[in-house]
């Protein structure tokens, strides 16, 4: 005769015993993630704000370094705010939305190494038949960062890539090839390229992230607080690393 249980039972230490389909062995601490979107798919700045608020609310799900200020990582993924970049980058001749991509790139703080990395990116963009439209240095404010984060902080740049003669439905596949070719070549460069990382390279979304806690993200990237910075969705992540040391690429 099977004895029925009215609910989960705890042992003397307060730990819940296995019950039904539940087993405490499957419990793990992990990162905090969140998603917010408009059903009508209309881009608005308040969606970005709500995404950031999720990060703030999830700050307890992220790890913090020994200086109590350096986070394990936080980021937000949104739709490319086309109007924002058109107004801000008037010197760059942007094609119609969807016919260009934005690459969010972490680059080495060493000038010579940074120029090498940028040259490699430009070379592979052109070799794969796409158009190099221009670069933008992303505004950042590191005054709120912890010393651990600041010590290994890369420079953030955005590269704008036109699809050229590439078919529209092949464009993002080509961007992936560019990214992989660049990563492989940078990896074998002489010098410390640990700061280099392709955060995102896409014709429809862009990712802002860093070795931060959630509250630091909009302070570090002023773009995120601009009213013109709009999106119909926001996917956010607050990192809690259990088996790696925190770095900007892993954030």
């Amino acid at each position: 005769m099977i004895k029925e249980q009215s609910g989960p039972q705890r042992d003397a230490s307060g730990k819940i015993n296995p019950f039904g389909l539940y087993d405490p062995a499957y419990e793990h601490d992990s990162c905090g993630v969140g998603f917010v979107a408009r059903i009508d798919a209309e881009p608005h700045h308040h969606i970005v704000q709500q995404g950031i608020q999720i990060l703030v609310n999830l700050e307890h799900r992220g790890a913090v370094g020994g200086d109590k200020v350096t986070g394990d990582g936080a980021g937000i993924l949104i739709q490319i705010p086309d109007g924002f970049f058109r107004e801000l980058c008037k010197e760059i001749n942007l094609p119609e939305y969807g016919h260009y991509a934005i690459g969010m790139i972490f680059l080495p703080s060493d000038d010579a190494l940074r120029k090498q990395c940028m040259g490699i990116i430009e070379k592979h963009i052109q070799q794969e038949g796409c158009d190099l439209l221009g670069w933008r240095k992303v505004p950042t404010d590191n005054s709120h960062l912890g010393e651990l984060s600041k010590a290994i902080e890369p420079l953030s740049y955005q590269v704008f890539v036109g699809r050229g003669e590439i078919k529209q439905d092949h464009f993002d596949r080509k961007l992936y090839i560019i990214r992989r070719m660049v990563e492989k070549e940078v990896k074998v460069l002489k010098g410390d390229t640990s700061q280099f990382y392709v955060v995102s390279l896409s014709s429809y979304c862009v990712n802002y992230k860093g070795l931060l806690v959630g509250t630091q993200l909009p302070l570090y990237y002023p773009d995120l607080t601009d009213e013109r910075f709009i999106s119909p969705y926001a996917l956010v992540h607050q990192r809690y690393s259990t088996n790696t040391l925190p770095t900007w690429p892993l954030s």
Side-chain angles (χ1 to χ4, degrees):
M1 183 175 177
I2 299 173
K3 183 180 179 181
E4 291 187 9
Q5 286 181 287
S6 59
Q9 304 297 309
R10 297 179 183 269
D11 61 21
S13 67
K15 180 180 177 182
I16 299 177
N17 295 319
F19 174 76
L21 296 177
Y22 172 80
D23 190 318
Y26 298 127
E27 290 284 356
H28 298 284
D29 288 335
S30 58
C31 309
V33 295
F35 179 73
V36 60
R38 285 182 61 98
I39 295 176
D40 60 9
E42 276 292 317
H44 283 271
H45 181 61
H46 74 258
I47 292 294
V48 180
Q49 291 175 312
Q50 288 177 355
I52 293 170
Q53 187 59 48
I54 292 174
L55 277 179
V56 173
N57 295 345
L58 284 175
E59 199 159 300
H60 66 285
R61 298 298 301 162
V64 181
D67 60 4
K68 305 300 182 185
V69 186
T70 298
D72 233 2
I76 184 169
L77 179 78
I78 65 159
Q79 184 183 82
I80 291 175
D82 180 61
F84 172 80
F85 287 111
R86 286 188 188 280
E87 282 194 48
L88 227 60
C89 308
K90 292 182 179 178
E91 71 284 0
I92 299 175
N93 187 22
L94 292 178
E96 183 184 346
Y97 177 73
H99 295 260
Y100 71 92
I102 297 179
M104 186 75 165
I105 317 288
F106 288 158
L107 289 170
S109 50
D110 178 81
D111 287 344
L113 202 53
R114 180 170 67 256
K115 289 176 182 176
Q116 269 187 290
C117 292
M118 293 174 80
I120 291 170
I121 293 169
E122 293 175 0
K123 179 184 73 174
H124 285 290
I125 287 172
Q126 293 163 348
Q127 283 184 352
E128 294 300 324
C130 296
D131 297 328
L132 174 67
L133 302 176
W135 287 89
R136 175 189 182 232
K137 189 176 187 303
V138 181
T140 57
D141 179 2
N142 67 6
S143 62
H144 302 275
L145 297 189
E147 291 305 315
L148 297 174
S149 177
K150 199 179 296 185
I152 54 174
E153 177 191 9
L155 296 178
S156 296
Y157 276 77
Q158 287 166 338
V159 60
F160 295 81
V161 184
R163 72 178 180 90
E165 299 301 318
I166 306 296
K167 290 183 179 180
Q168 181 66 41
D169 56 349
H170 293 174
F171 187 28
D172 275 278
R173 188 183 309 166
K174 185 65 72 173
L175 294 171
Y176 175 76
I177 293 171
I178 292 169
R179 174 176 183 160
R180 294 299 294 131
M181 296 296 289
V182 167
E183 289 171 339
K184 288 181 178 181
E185 188 167 344
V186 169
K187 191 175 182 179
V188 297
L189 285 179
K190 292 182 179 179
D192 182 9
T193 58
S194 61
Q195 288 180 307
F196 176 84
Y197 186 69
V198 181
V199 180
S200 62
L201 178 57
S202 170
S203 64
Y204 56 87
C205 64
V206 62
N207 187 359
Y208 282 68
K209 74 168 190 172
L211 198 56
L212 317 160
V213 294
T215 50
Q216 292 171 338
L217 187 68
L219 300 175
Y220 185 73
Y221 291 114
D223 283 1
L224 300 179
T225 60
D226 194 303
E227 290 289 335
R228 299 168 294 178
F229 202 82
I230 59 177
S231 175
Y233 62 83
L235 176 65
V236 297
H237 176 222
Q238 179 84 41
R239 186 166 183 260
Y240 187 106
S241 173
T242 55
N243 58 0
T244 58
L245 290 174
T247 66
W248 281 80
L250 292 178
S251 63

